[in-house]
């Protein structure tokens, strides 16, 4: 119950955020940040229970027949992520209030940010595969709106679309993978899947499942070759970059792989895929960061690198690797979040994020500088910071893995590059002589330097007293690799171990890389990645898709209503002709006498149709058609379907009005290329075929089982005597819900098409 | 069309039509009617008003922008579907309650009625949105290629 309350309260806060901002701009972010803060405390109080044998869980059947349920479960791994999400969320909301103080769309920004928080919480607490997927997609959607927040900017829109395309396509793969898993395992409950582990790992579908799940995880967690969306996502306002694209959302893929490790992990294919992709991403991301000078982009590439490290650890799958994962993931969230927020503060004060133009800001911005320094030291993995402990564990895990030497060299190289990057982003803007851009810079407001400093200090405290987080991290490791993961000794000083030697070596190498940053940048620029990299491939396929769409649309939807009708009717007639040709023959028709009044109605129908066909005036044709429609509803009355008749009358009325409006607004041009003979032939064929099909349908004995069941239960079970309506709003309400959504979406489309353009509204 | 005649007729007809549409909505559970047809009827009544006067007048009359009506409708539908979850029943399971009225009759209220109200709101919002857009919008210009 507590878990559900936590989810719901974050959802409600997201919905209220725009209102709160409207009431009070200044106090909004303070009051809103109280919610994630209290959720953090609440979640922290659940830790003892989560680490006991039976973690807190919650279960409500949703669609029991399909195995869909709202099930939540908070074990060590989920809770570690959830605490990161709410804890960071508190600081980010505070920071965003100050960072976007002058933005007219602060309300919507905070709303999306909090909606993201709610969906991310749902993702890590989910115990049902489909619920997890729904939250997964919600994070994608909220990320889209946060990246595209400055929707006037072309590149923000492009970047938002890019992230959406890549992660949503991966999401589709993930959905398929999860469904296959559910099918093989016979359950969609994640915590029960491990019982079917052997079947999932070695069955005939195992490779398909693995590839589909990896497709989802690798796109979300920006692994090579899907990494390119993450640096472009830096078009988002900095608070979103720090929160989504460093600390939480990009970890969702890693979280998913960690969650599924006990179920899918350990196979040769799993190990090969994760270790290879992880290592390439780790080294590649760190290397690519040297090709850029924009503070946020450099940080983004460094994030890509760390995500690669985390995937690599999951590929190793040893208890040691599972321990390293939790520690390193936490350390990274703390220091990377802090560095991003620092980047925002520097941008705010100095007006630029270009590294070559920044220098010597330490005197002007002492607090920001200390936050940056602390975070950079954690990133470089220097004692006594938490990043150091994480790095030691990573080295340990890769050294003990089979084939460890190559891995250890690889990880060492990756870390050395990260050390160089840490020096670039955390030290170089603040040390040295004061640069041109920093001439009249002042320290940012406390709300802009407080959150990054808090995060950086957290990293320091956890480094000095790692015992605080020890039990939770051990619980997380247990969730990934079983009971062996539990014996987690977090200490700063292990004595003179090989890992310490590696650390020292990578630090020295990192210093060398930092010194060589300029030649490195030139080399990378000379490679012209933008001409052949995956990012360019994406651009090419997008423009190809657009050309294809232009071609198809030009062919099919040229704006001629005549052509649309023609194609539709032809298609219907063609589809009908198939089965009718297959079973030729005049069906046993209905034998009933036609009453006089029925004959009269039919005659009216035929007359009105004839008039509609004959007339040359658009208005007359419209009126004739409405007579046809009204007569039809009269037929419904005669056959005893009052609901249908009523709806038909009103729909007919509105249709006529719509047409009249359109005709009065847009000139009606007779479209070319029509021949009355061809039209007549097509109409008669289609009409004949439909009549034939109807005769066939009515000749078959009516299936009354369902109708009788509905009729019998309508009054007793659905409290209604109108069967039509009880079917609509009760028996088959899910269909109605779908229809309602379709209607709303379609009318939104019309609204957006016809809305006066922004330019005109401002004029 | 003589505007004076139309306006006079409209002023008396629109309230009647609106009431009729509400009757249709409410009685839909036991007699022909329901959210869908009720919503269409409401829209028809308002569109009649629109023909007699203009869009601005109807907008003032409705007060809520159509798009918002629609969003509200979707929320009501979702809400009525989710209400049973509170009591631990599955999504969309109907829940009913009896209310005793002071004059001795009982009225049964249930989530399906609320669901119907949601459908009604969506239909009104969608149709009014269409018509308003046609009335005051400009023709869509070809090719929204510049932002994708």
């Amino acid at each position: 119950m507590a878990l559900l309350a936590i989810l719901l309260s974050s959802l409600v806060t997201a919905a209220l955020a725009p209102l709160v901002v409207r009431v009070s701009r200044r106090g909004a972010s303070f009051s809103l940040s109280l919610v994630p803060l209290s959720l953090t405390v609440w979640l922290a109080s659940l830790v003892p229970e989560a680490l006991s044998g039976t973690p807190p869980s919650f279960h409500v059947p949703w669609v029991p027949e399909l195995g869909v349920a709202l099930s939540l479960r908070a074990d060590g791994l989920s809770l570690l992520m959830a605490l990161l999400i709410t804890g960071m969320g508190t600081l980010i909301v505070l920071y965003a209030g100050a960072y976007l103080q002058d933005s007219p769309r602060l309300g919507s920004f905070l709303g999306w940010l909090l909606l993201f928080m709610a969906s991310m919480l749902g993702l890590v607490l989910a115990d049902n595969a489909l619920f997890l997927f729904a939250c997964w997609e919600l994070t994608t959607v909220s990320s889209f709106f946060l990246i595209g927040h400055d929707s006037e900017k072309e590149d923000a829109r492009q970047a938002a679309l890019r992230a959406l395309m890549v992660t949503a396509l991966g999401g589709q793969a993930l959905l398929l993978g999860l469904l296959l898993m559910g099918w093989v395992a016979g359950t969609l409950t994640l915590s029960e899947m491990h019982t079917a582990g052997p079947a999932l790992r070695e069955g005939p579908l195992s490779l398909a499942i693995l590839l589909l799940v990896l497709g989802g995880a690798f796109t979300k967690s920006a692994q090579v070759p899907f990494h390119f969306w993450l640096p472009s996502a830096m078009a988002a306002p900095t608070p979103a970059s720090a929160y989504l694209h460093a600390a939480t959302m990009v970890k969702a893929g890693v979280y998913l792989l960690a969650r599924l490790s006990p179920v899918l992990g350990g196979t040769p294919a799993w190990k090969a895929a994760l270790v290879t992709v992880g290592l390439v991403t780790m080294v590649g991301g760190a290397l690519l960061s040297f090709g850029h000078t924009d503070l946020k982009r450099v940080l983004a590439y460094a994030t890509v690198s760390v995500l690669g490290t985390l995937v690599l650890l999951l590929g190793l799958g040893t208890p040691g690797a599972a321990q390293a994962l939790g520690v390193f993931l936490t350390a990274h969230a703390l220091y990377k979040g802090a560095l991003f927020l620092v980047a925002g503060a520097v941008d705010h004060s100095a007006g630029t994020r270009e590294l070559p133009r920044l220098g010597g800001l330490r005197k002007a911005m002492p607090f920001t500088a200390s936050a940056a320094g602390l975070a950079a030291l954690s990133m470089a993995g220097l004692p006594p910071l938490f990043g150091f402990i994480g790095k030691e564990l990573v080295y340990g895990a890769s050294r003990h893995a089979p084939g460890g030497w190559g891995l250890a060299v690889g990880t060492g190289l990756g870390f050395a590059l990260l050390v160089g990057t840490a020096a670039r982003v955390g030290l170089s803007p603040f040390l040295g002589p004061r640069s041109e851009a920093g001439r009249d810079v002042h320290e940012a407001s406390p709300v802009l330097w407080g959150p990054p400093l808090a995060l950086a200090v957290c990293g320091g405290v956890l480094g000095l007293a790692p015992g605080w987080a020890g039990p939770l991290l051990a619980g997380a490791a247990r969730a990934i690799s079983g009971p062996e993961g539990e014996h987690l000794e977090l200490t700063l000083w292990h004595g003179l171990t090989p890992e310490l030697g590696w650390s020292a070596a990578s630090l020295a190498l990192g210093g060398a890389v930092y010194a060589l940053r300029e030649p490195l940048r030139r080399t990378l620029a000379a490679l012209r990645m933008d001409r052949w990299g995956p990012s360019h491939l994406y651009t090419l396929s997008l423009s190809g898709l657009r050309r294809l769409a232009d071609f198809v649309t030009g062919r099919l939807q040229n704006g001629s209503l005549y052509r649309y009708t023609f194609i539709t009717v032809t298609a219907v007639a063609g589809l009908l002709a198939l089965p009718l040709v297959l079973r030729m023959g005049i069906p046993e028709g209905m034998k009933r006498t036609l009453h006089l009044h029925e004959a009269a109605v039919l005659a009216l129908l035929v007359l009105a149709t004839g008039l509609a066909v004959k007339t040359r005036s658009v208005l007359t044709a419209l009126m004739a058609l409405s007579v046809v429609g009204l007569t039809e509803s009269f037929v419904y009355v005669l056959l005893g379907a009052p609901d249908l008749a009523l709806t038909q009358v009103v729909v007919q009325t509105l249709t006529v009005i719509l047409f009249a409006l359109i005709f009065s607004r847009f000139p009606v041009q007779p479209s070319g290329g029509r021949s009355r003979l061809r039209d007549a032939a097509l109409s008669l064929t289609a009409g004949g075929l439909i009549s034939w099909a109807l005769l066939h349908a009515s000749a078959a004995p009516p299936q009354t089982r369902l109708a009788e069941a509905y009729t019998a239960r309508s009054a007793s079970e659905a409290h209604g005597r109108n069967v039509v309506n009880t079917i609509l709003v009760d028996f088959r309400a899910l269909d109605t819900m779908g229809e309602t959504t379709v209607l709303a979406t379609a009318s939104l489309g019309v609204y957006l098409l016809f809305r006066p353009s922004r330019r005109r509204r401002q004029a | 069309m003589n505007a004076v005649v139309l306006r006079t007729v409209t002023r008396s007809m629109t309230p009647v039509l609106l009431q009729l549409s509400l009757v249709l909505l409410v009685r839909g559970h036991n007699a022909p009617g329901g959210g869908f047809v009720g919503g269409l009827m409401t829209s028809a009544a308002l569109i009649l008003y629109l023909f007699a006067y203009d869009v601005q007048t109807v907008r003032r009359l409705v007060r809520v922008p159509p798009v918002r009506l629609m969003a509200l409708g979707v929320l009501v539908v979702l809400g009525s579907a989710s209400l049973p979850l509170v009591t631990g029943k599955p999504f969309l399971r109907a829940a009913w309650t009896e209310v005793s009225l002071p004059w001795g009759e009982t009225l049964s209220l249930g989530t399906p009625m609320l669901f119907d109200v949601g459908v009604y709101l969506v239909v009104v919002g969608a149709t009014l949105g269409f018509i308003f857009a046609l009335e005051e919008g400009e023709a869509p210009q070809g090719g929204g290629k510049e932002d994708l």
Side-chain angles (χ1 to χ4, degrees):
Chain A
M1 218 48 218
L3 296 178
L4 183 71
I6 286 172
L7 270 190
L8 285 179
S9 53
S10 53
L11 266 178
V12 170
T13 316
L16 293 179
L19 289 176
V20 176
V21 171
R22 202 171 300 171
V23 171
S24 139
R25 275 193 79 83
R26 297 207 69 83
S29 58
F30 279 97
S31 46
L32 283 171
S33 68
L34 290 176
V35 176
L37 182 65
S38 45
L39 290 184
T40 312
V41 176
W42 198 351
L43 283 163
S45 71
L46 295 174
V47 170
E49 198 187 342
L51 300 181
S52 69
T54 49
S57 59
F58 174 83
H59 178 89
V60 167
W62 191 283
V63 188
E65 295 80 1
L66 298 176
V68 184
L70 176 59
S71 3
L72 306 170
R73 189 166 174 272
D75 62 2
L77 177 63
S78 297
L79 215 49
L80 173 69
M81 288 294 293
L83 280 168
L84 273 179
I85 292 160
T86 52
M88 292 271 308
T90 310
L91 295 173
I92 298 282
V93 168
L94 268 179
Y95 182 94
Y99 189 83
L100 292 167
Q101 206 165 25
D102 312 325
S103 160
R105 292 214 302 280
L106 174 66
S108 80
F109 183 84
L110 287 177
W112 284 115
L113 199 71
L114 286 158
L115 178 70
F116 164 79
M117 187 181 87
S119 31
M120 192 72 207
L121 273 177
L123 196 160
V124 299
L125 295 174
D127 195 23
N128 178 282
L130 288 177
F131 179 62
L132 181 139
F133 171 76
C135 294
W136 180 280
E137 291 295 270
L138 259 179
T139 59
T140 298
V141 172
S142 36
S143 157
F144 171 80
F145 281 101
L146 286 167
I147 297 173
H149 178 75
D150 298 327
S151 55
E152 291 84 12
K153 290 195 190 132
E154 167 83 18
D155 64 341
R157 293 199 301 267
Q158 295 277 13
L161 184 72
R162 181 173 286 220
L164 180 75
M165 285 289 215
V166 177
T167 48
L169 278 174
Q172 297 306 305
L174 174 67
L175 176 63
L176 276 178
L178 290 173
L179 287 174
L180 282 180
M181 282 180 80
W183 192 52
V184 172
T187 173
L188 283 167
T189 307
L190 295 171
S191 52
E192 289 169 3
M193 277 188 179
H194 61 85
T195 51
L200 289 167
R201 283 191 293 267
E202 286 130 34
L205 286 173
S206 61
L207 188 65
I209 289 174
L210 180 65
L211 289 177
L212 288 167
V213 169
L214 291 186
F218 284 177
T219 45
K220 197 83 164 171
S221 283
Q223 299 297 296
V224 171
F226 309 113
H227 64 279
F228 58 88
W229 70 263
L230 185 56
S232 14
M234 294 303 126
T238 302
S241 309
Y243 194 32
L244 275 71
H245 307 121
T248 56
M249 185 181 86
V250 288
K251 304 263 173 58
V254 173
Y255 165 82
L256 179 80
L257 293 177
R259 173 64 62 215
L260 296 177
S261 268
V263 185
L264 300 175
T267 60
W270 165 280
K271 280 186 177 155
L274 268 66
V275 170
T276 317
V277 172
L279 194 61
V280 169
T281 308
M282 175 183 181
V283 180
L287 193 60
L288 285 177
S289 75
F290 281 86
H292 295 269
T293 52
D294 173 46
L295 195 48
K296 275 177 79 176
R297 273 187 177 256
V298 174
L299 285 170
Y301 277 107
T303 308
V304 169
S305 167
V306 169
L307 292 168
T309 315
L310 297 173
V311 168
L312 165 75
L313 287 172
L314 282 166
L316 297 179
T318 55
Q323 294 169 352
L325 178 91
V327 177
F328 195 55
L329 187 147
T330 312
H332 172 254
L334 293 174
Y335 76 69
K336 193 57 68 62
L339 284 172
F340 265 111
L341 296 184
V342 164
V346 168
D347 192 11
H348 225 259
S349 297
T352 176
R353 293 197 310 251
E354 285 296 319
L355 283 170
R357 301 184 54 201
L358 292 168
L361 296 175
R362 67 186 177 286
K363 283 220 171 61
M365 307 176 73
F367 295 106
T368 312
S370 28
L374 264 177
L377 293 181
S378 185
M379 177 172 172
L382 282 169
L385 292 146
F386 203 45
F388 169 75
I389 301 182
K391 192 163 74 161
E392 297 282 286
L393 283 169
V394 174
Y395 279 146
S398 59
R399 196 172 61 91
H400 293 303
W405 275 101
L407 266 185
V409 171
T411 45
L413 183 63
F415 270 119
L417 288 163
L418 277 190
V419 170
T421 308
R424 284 179 73 206
V425 295
L427 304 179
S428 74
F430 300 96
L431 303 177
R434 175 147 324 180
S435 66
E436 195 60 39
R439 193 142 305 275
D440 42 10
V441 172
H442 300 288
E443 179 62 285
S445 77
V447 191
L448 288 181
W449 58 254
L453 194 59
L455 287 171
V457 168
C458 257
V461 170
L462 279 179
L464 292 169
W468 283 8
L472 184 60
L473 290 164
R478 188 177 57 192
I480 301 170
S481 68
E484 303 97 51
E486 267 198 277
H487 313 293
L488 179 62
E489 288 290 322
L490 291 181
T491 47
L492 262 180
W493 180 245
H494 289 273
L496 289 169
T497 54
E499 287 87 10
L500 198 63
W502 271 120
S503 279
S506 66
L507 275 178
L509 188 57
V513 170
Y514 177 71
L516 292 172
R517 62 191 183 280
E518 197 45 35
L520 247 177
R521 193 182 64 75
R522 278 200 297 273
T523 318
L524 283 166
L527 277 178
R528 299 309 305 265
M529 287 284 285
D530 55 332
R531 285 224 190 146
W532 53 270
S535 174
H536 187 59
L537 202 66
Y538 162 86
T539 317
L540 277 184
S541 46
L542 197 66
S543 61
L545 184 70
R546 199 173 296 170
R547 273 203 294 276
L548 178 70
D550 279 350
F551 172 77
V552 172
T553 312
R555 282 295 147 109
L556 288 180
Q557 306 196 333
N558 59 349
S560 150
L561 187 62
Y562 173 74
R563 177 179 282 209
Y564 296 167
T565 319
F566 190 89
I567 291 176
T568 310
V569 174
T570 313
V572 170
L575 288 172
L576 270 175
L578 276 176
L580 288 175
V581 169
L582 288 182
R583 40 159 147 170
M584 289 285 283
I586 306 289
E588 290 290 309
M590 298 188 301
K591 294 193 173 48
R592 63 169 284 200
T593 43
L594 209 56
H595 296 289
L596 185 60
H597 61 268
E598 288 169 338
V601 170
L602 288 178
L604 183 57
L605 259 179
V606 174
L607 277 176
T609 315
L611 178 62
V613 173
K614 278 301 296 172
T615 179
R616 296 229 160 246
S617 137
V618 169
L619 214 55
T620 313
L622 186 59
M623 288 302 143
L625 275 180
S626 60
V627 172
V628 173
L630 290 173
T631 320
E632 265 176 40
S633 52
F634 198 69
V635 173
Y636 295 145
V637 172
L638 290 179
L639 297 176
D643 263 297
L644 205 54
L646 195 60
T647 312
Q648 170 80 2
V649 170
V650 189
V651 167
Q652 194 60 51
T653 314
L654 285 170
T655 312
V656 172
I657 290 172
L658 264 177
F659 266 107
L661 270 181
I662 291 171
F663 287 150
S664 69
R665 184 154 287 273
F666 306 111
V668 183
Q669 298 150 334
S671 36
R674 18 187 356 172
S675 108
R676 288 187 82 84
L677 194 64
R678 188 181 60 186
D679 292 359
L682 177 65
S683 314
L684 286 173
T685 317
L689 283 169
I690 287 178
S691 312
W692 199 349
L694 278 175
L695 279 174
H696 265 294
S698 53
Q703 299 286 332
T704 55
R705 216 160 51 90
L706 202 59
E708 278 164 9
Y710 281 143
T711 318
R713 293 173 170 199
S714 179
S716 58
E717 288 187 26
H719 294 249
R721 289 189 303 280
N722 177 359
V723 185
V724 175
N725 206 44
T726 51
I727 291 175
L728 280 177
V729 300
D730 198 342
F731 293 123
R732 311 218 40 181
L734 192 65
D735 297 357
T736 313
M737 208 159 110
E739 294 295 343
T740 316
T741 319
V742 169
L743 183 65
T745 314
S747 105
L748 259 185
V750 170
Y751 168 79
L752 290 171
L753 275 175
F754 280 88
R755 197 177 45 163
S757 63
R758 190 166 292 186
R759 271 193 307 284
R760 258 201 22 186
R761 263 179 295 155
Q762 283 164 350
Chain B
M1 178 70 85
N2 187 335
V4 180
V5 175
L6 181 63
R7 284 186 181 192
T8 315
V9 172
T10 303
R11 265 206 298 273
S12 51
M13 278 299 291
T14 301
V16 177
L17 283 171
L18 286 175
Q19 281 170 7
L20 178 65
S21 70
L22 287 178
V23 169
L24 277 178
L25 163 70
V26 174
R27 74 169 199 163
H29 220 62
N30 295 312
F36 191 74
V37 73
L40 289 174
M41 183 75 90
T42 300
S43 300
L46 290 168
I47 289 163
L48 179 65
Y49 212 79
L50 188 150
F51 281 159
Y53 296 88
D54 58 0
V55 181
Q56 266 17 63
T57 320
V58 182
R59 273 194 189 278
R60 271 199 300 277
L61 192 74
V62 182
R63 291 220 182 93
V64 190
V67 175
R68 256 184 221 184
L69 268 181
M70 215 167 58
L72 185 69
V74 173
L75 280 177
V76 171
V77 165
L78 274 177
S80 76
S82 314
L83 260 183
L85 288 173
V86 179
T87 55
K89 301 243 170 25
F91 188 67
L92 273 173
R93 171 72 52 86
W96 289 89
T97 173
E98 304 277 331
V99 181
S100 314
L101 295 174
W103 54 88
E105 289 185 19
T106 53
L107 176 68
S108 57
L109 290 176
T111 49
M113 311 279 277
L114 196 60
F115 189 93
D116 232 3
V117 172
V119 173
Y120 169 89
L121 287 172
V122 171
V123 170
V124 174
T127 39
L128 282 186
F130 281 140
I131 303 281
F132 285 3
L134 279 172
E135 264 294 308
E136 58 191 11
E138 42 185 307
Q141 298 302 318
K145 286 181 195 171
E146 63 283 346
D147 56 17
L148 236 190

